[in-house]
Amino acid sequence: MKVLVPVKRVLDYNVKPRVKADGTGVDLANVKMSMNPFDEIAVEEAIRLKDKGVTEIVVVSIGEQKSQETLRTALAMGADRAILIVSEEKVEPLGVAKLLKAIVDEEKPDLVILGKQAIDDDNNQTGQMLAGLLGVGQATFASKVDLTATNVTVTREVDGGSETEELSLPAVITVDLRLNEPRYASLPNIMKAKSKPMANKTPADYGVDVTPRLTTLKVVEPPKRSGGVKVADVDELVAKLKAMGVAK
Amino acid sequence: MKTLVWVEHDGKTVKDATLAVVTAAAQLGEVHLLVAGQGVDAVAAEAAKIAGVGKVHVADDAAFAHALAENVAPLVVELMGHHDAFLAPATTHGKNIAPRVAALLDVMQISDILSVESEDTFTRPIYAGNAIATVQSKDAKKVITVRGTAFEKAATEGGSGAIEKVASTGGANADGGLSVFKGQEIAKSERPELTSAKIIVSGGRALGSSEQFHALIDPLADKLGAGVGASRAAVDAGYAPNDYQVGQTGKIVAPEVYVAVGISGAIQHLAGMKDSKTIIAINKDEDAPIFQVADLGLVGDLFKILPELTEKL
């Protein structure tokens, strides 16, 4: 059984993003980049499924040339081979979903596992779009995955609790935070990953038009909160709460 | 512009998040609703009364009972033949359905909008709310999810929408058979729902255990009539259930008052609550980032402060 895991190179989650003064975007020059945290969870889950019949894990990333570092990380974690689709222009989720569909048509994986959202654009779209384009079942926000030869049962995190769905394969899953704890790549595995195969492609190789549909007119900082005050003790806090009408 | 709003409901009543979406949709044009589900006459009647609603499309079929995206998306696509925009709340169900609709219509979705600037221009948060982007859509049809806390809720009375059955959804076609709903586990809570609560008391890792979380946070919340939230650290440690989580990857809330107890204030947590009207922080570390956004801060040991606070309120 083959699994495809798309991964994205994003601003590291610990870095506080800085908005560029000219309002064109967030400053990504000379800042730490890493694999989108949800994608790490997706890669980890694919690896864990290896004792459930998964024989090959293909990772794919779409973005600038440096995204190969992200793919090497995934290979070092345990993925078998990688596909890099180089596009120096930003590709929107719809374009990504179309490229992924082209790869799925070629590779015929039984399962595609994605992160539920990328922490840069916070869109939460790609997996659902891919499932729609493929006409297959989708299970988003997965917190538990049970795989058999013909179907997959997924517990999903929803507002207010959880839901369980069963999909027949092939299917698309997007993963939530609590699905697993991703492993760290060991040094020997990082070395080994350097010799694993990585195909270099472009959107044109797949005949996919990735022209953006959305134009970003400007990017600004959110309104700043005015500085607050510290109270000395509980009595003062209670008095303030009462003054605000929160407590009687 | 004719807009179609997906109504989120539990089979009995319309969920609050839908009301904010109606307000956003009204800024674009004529508002039509879609109530899809099984045995949803009561929901449709309630939806028709929402102020500003023109028409309520009702699709009643077992295939729609659990809002499975595989079944709902084709239904929406069919109705989008007569609408210019599709809006859904940015809840887990809305986020599940809308992008599938967008892909089937071959348009880009605009996620989690904060405002409607014009018919094709919207603002939305990126990078965990650390930046606000203004985006313009070139697509002929718009697919949008709406952040519930960013729009006023439409009034639940005063509307007189015409209820219309969707003609072509009956029979075996509605269920594409791609997925099967197996069950759900909904956390039972007497407290206000997190995303619509006026006051929220939220606990972090400093609570130390599930027992202490409930022993300290719950009584304070009860006293204030508040919803209970948690940071990711508290949820990961098992002090609180997953759906309590407030933040970039959990729920986005904007109550009147947000009380953060033993929460340091990581970027990802702030993303979920920094639009609260008043933020109150209780933390023993006076350098904790939470104090940079808090209107009222109290530095001290929460194990002493919380019982005293609960007592004195």
Side-chain angles (χ1 to χ4, degrees), chain B:
Chain B
M1 246 183 145
K2 257 194 193 163
T3 67
L4 181 68
V5 171
W6 179 69
V7 174
E8 181 157 7
H9 61 85
D10 56 7
K12 296 181 199 84
T13 59
V14 174
K15 293 258 189 185
D16 260 12
T18 309
L19 301 173
V21 184
V22 169
T23 303
Q27 293 175 17
L28 287 168
E30 198 180 325
V31 182
H32 292 186
L33 304 183
L34 167 61
V35 177
Q38 189 177 24
V40 286
D41 288 348
V43 178
E46 191 187 333
K49 283 189 211 144
I50 298 172
V53 167
K55 198 183 277 180
V56 181
H57 298 278
V58 181
D60 204 324
D61 192 292
F64 306 130
H66 303 290
L68 292 173
E70 295 86 344
N71 297 344
V72 175
L75 167 69
V76 174
V77 169
E78 191 179 302
L79 289 167
M80 282 302 284
H82 316 283
H83 294 88
D84 307 298
F86 173 67
L87 288 84
T91 55
T92 46
H93 283 112
K95 288 175 185 172
N96 188 38
I97 293 168
R100 192 169 177 115
V101 170
L104 295 177
L105 292 171
D106 191 26
V107 305
M108 243 310 276
Q109 181 190 286
I110 307 147
S111 295
D112 214 13
I113 63 162
L114 300 173
S115 72
V116 174
E117 302 295 305
S118 73
E119 275 193 2
D120 63 2
T121 307
F122 309 88
T123 65
R124 58 174 306 264
I126 52 175
Y127 288 89
N130 282 287
I132 310 293
T134 305
V135 294
Q136 187 172 34
S137 166
K138 294 185 192 117
D139 287 316
K141 291 189 192 282
K142 314 284 185 266
V143 175
I144 296 165
T145 60
V146 177
R147 176 169 292 196
T149 56
F151 293 86
E152 294 290 322
K153 292 186 176 69
T156 51
E157 293 291 334
S160 53
I163 295 176
E164 202 174 277
K165 287 249 184 258
V166 178
S168 61
T169 53
N173 290 338
D175 190 346
L178 294 173
S179 61
V180 181
F181 182 86
K182 291 297 212 185
Q184 61 184 1
E185 244 177 81
I186 297 302
K188 285 210 167 53
S189 174
E190 306 282 301
R191 295 200 180 82
E193 202 184 329
L194 211 46
T195 48
S196 54
K198 285 204 162 52
I199 305 175
I200 293 172
V201 179
S202 212
R205 180 163 36 198
L207 270 308
S209 71
S210 172
E211 292 72 33
Q212 293 180 115
F213 189 98
H214 293 296
L216 291 166
I217 297 288
D218 291 0
L220 177 59
D222 290 341
K223 206 90 178 227
L224 295 169
V228 175
S231 70
R232 178 185 169 184
V235 174
D236 281 353
Y239 304 167
N242 296 357
D243 71 302
Y244 277 35
Q245 189 183 328
V246 171
Q248 183 185 20
T249 62
K251 294 195 168 74
I252 312 286
V253 299
E256 299 279 318
V257 180
Y258 188 87
V259 187
V261 181
I263 293 175
S264 64
I267 296 175
Q268 291 77 13
H269 186 73
L270 299 183
M273 47 63 81
K274 70 187 161 71
D275 293 323
S276 305
K277 204 154 166 227
T278 302
I279 297 171
I280 300 172
I282 300 171
N283 204 301
K284 69 172 185 224
D285 175 11
E286 60 178 316
D287 296 323
I290 191 77
F291 286 119
Q292 287 163 24
V293 299
D295 301 277
L296 283 175
L298 178 52
V299 178
D301 181 2
L302 66 92
F303 294 103
K304 289 201 184 87
I305 292 172
L306 248 50
E308 190 185 343
L309 182 59
T310 306
E311 169 73 37
K312 286 181 175 166
L313 282 170

Side-chain angles (χ1 to χ4, degrees), chain A residues 125 138 140 157 178 217 231, chain B residues 70 96 111 134 242 245 297:
Chain A
Q125 299 177 6
Q138 68 185 52
T140 49
E157 305 241 319
R178 271 168 279 274
L217 301 179
V231 295
Chain B
E70 295 86 344
N96 188 38
S111 295
T134 305
N242 296 357
Q245 189 183 328

Side-chain angles (χ1 to χ4, degrees), chain A residues 31-65:
Chain A
V31 290
K32 189 182 177 206
M33 305 287 281
S34 38
M35 192 193 299
N36 180 43
F38 291 102
D39 303 347
E40 288 184 346
I41 296 169
V43 173
E44 175 67 34
E45 193 62 20
I47 298 165
R48 291 188 188 189
L49 290 173
K50 274 202 163 173
D51 56 16
K52 294 271 176 65
V54 169
T55 48
E56 187 182 30
I57 300 167
V58 181
V59 286
V60 54
S61 193
I62 299 157
E64 52 180 346
Q65 190 69 44

